[in-house]
């Protein structure tokens, strides 16, 4: 789990590549303006590892509707564990973990310096569409959240991973924090990029960075 200086989250896909959301980025190309903070829960900790970005690759065809993933090539590798991504849809169910340094309530616009995490259950597309209708790109997006609300990702959590354990008990990333209406509202799930749908595209893009 890493923090990005523009106020988004991300996860180490490789030691020198971060997987995050396209909507956090200004576009593809050489980019040395992002500071990636890793290795700590508290962003103010003196143990924080800070590395600059070198290059950004935004999902091909991204236009603000689906395809919300991007990769950041780092100036140097970060020697921390990487998070494997799901390559099949089999883990796109159950209970997921979300984490980030974003707002702890809707409209706060402050974020937090200490990493927080929570659990949210999978929400089927047909249930999610009761609120979002055709705004949900079913093939490319996953919904998760409590019907009663109260727990959710929020502004500042964008790009961070949604993950769970695979059958071998290892953590696997199934989603990227993408969008939603407000934060933690009842009957309004969070919407996440469905990582397994883009796994081969992500692998190809990372290899070419």
């Amino acid at each position: 789990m890493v923090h990005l200086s523009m106020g988004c989250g991300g996860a180490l896909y490789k030691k020198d590549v971060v997987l995050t959301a396209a909507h956090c980025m200004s576009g593809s190309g050489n980019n040395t303006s992002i500071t990636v903070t890793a290795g700590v829960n508290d962003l103010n900790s003196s143990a924080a590892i800070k590395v600059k970005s070198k290059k950004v690759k935004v999902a091909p065809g991204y236009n603000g509707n689906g395809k919300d993933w991007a990769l950041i090539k780092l100036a140097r590798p970060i020697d921390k564990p990487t998070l494997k991504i799901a390559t099949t849809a089999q883990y796109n169910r159950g209970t997921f973990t979300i984490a980030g340094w974003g707002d702890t309530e809707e409209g706060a616009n402050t974020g937090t310096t200490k990493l927080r995490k929570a659990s949210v259950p999978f929400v089927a597309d047909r249930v999610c569409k009761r609120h979002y209708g055709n705004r949900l790109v079913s093939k490319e997006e996953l919904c998760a959240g409590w019907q009663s609300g109260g727990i959710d990702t929020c502004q500042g959590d964008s790009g961070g991973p949604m993950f769970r354990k695979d059958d071998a008990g290892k953590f696997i990333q199934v989603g990227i924090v993408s969008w939603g209406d407000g934060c933690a509202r009842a009957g309004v799930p969070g919407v996440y990029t469905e990582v397994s749908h883009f796994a081969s595209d992500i692998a190809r893009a990372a290899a070419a960075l």
Side-chain angles (χ1 to χ4, degrees):
M1 179 90 208
V2 301
H3 179 267
L4 309 179
S5 52
M6 84 290 288
C8 281
L12 280 181
Y13 174 75
K14 294 180 171 181
K15 301 277 187 193
D16 62 347
V17 177
V18 169
L19 177 61
T20 184
H23 77 264
C24 291
M25 301 296 137
S26 54
S28 295
N30 293 335
N31 185 331
T32 54
S33 68
I34 304 163
T35 303
V36 176
T37 304
V40 291
N41 288 335
D42 185 343
L43 296 176
N44 295 331
S45 165
S46 56
I49 300 165
K50 290 184 187 284
V51 178
K52 284 283 190 195
S53 59
K54 188 163 139 186
K55 199 171 175 185
V56 168
K57 174 69 177 176
V58 169
Y62 171 73
N63 64 0
N65 194 18
K67 299 183 177 55
D68 194 8
W69 64 267
L71 295 170
I72 303 169
K73 175 84 168 177
L74 302 177
R76 62 180 173 85
I78 292 173
D79 193 18
K80 290 290 172 189
T82 55
L83 183 57
K84 210 167 70 164
I85 65 170
T87 53
T88 70
Q90 76 180 97
Y91 297 114
N92 295 350
R93 52 184 165 71
T95 301
F96 308 120
T97 301
I98 48 177
W101 288 272
D103 289 351
T104 51
E105 60 182 63
E106 188 177 325
N109 295 324
T110 53
T112 165
T113 56
K114 294 206 169 53
L115 183 65
R116 295 167 69 99
K117 66 173 187 156
S119 297
V120 284
F122 168 72
V123 175
D125 285 352
R126 59 180 173 74
V127 176
C128 197
K129 282 192 160 184
R130 283 178 201 158
H131 175 78
Y132 291 114
N134 292 334
R135 287 188 292 155
L136 183 74
V137 186
S138 302
K139 272 206 196 112
E140 302 180 358
E141 295 176 330
L142 265 180
C143 299
W146 301 94
Q147 180 56 32
S148 56
I151 296 174
D152 194 8
T153 43
C154 202
Q155 274 61 45
D157 291 320
S158 287
M162 178 167 78
F163 52 96
R164 54 161 286 181
K165 285 189 172 165
D166 64 12
D167 293 340
K170 295 263 197 298
F171 282 117
I172 190 161
Q173 181 172 353
V174 296
I176 300 168
V177 180
S178 185
W179 64 283
D181 286 344
C183 306
R185 297 178 188 174
V188 184
V191 183
Y192 300 80
T193 303
E194 191 171 315
V195 168
S196 59
H197 182 78
F198 296 107
S200 55
D201 294 347
I202 290 168
R204 246 195 319 275
L209 269 179

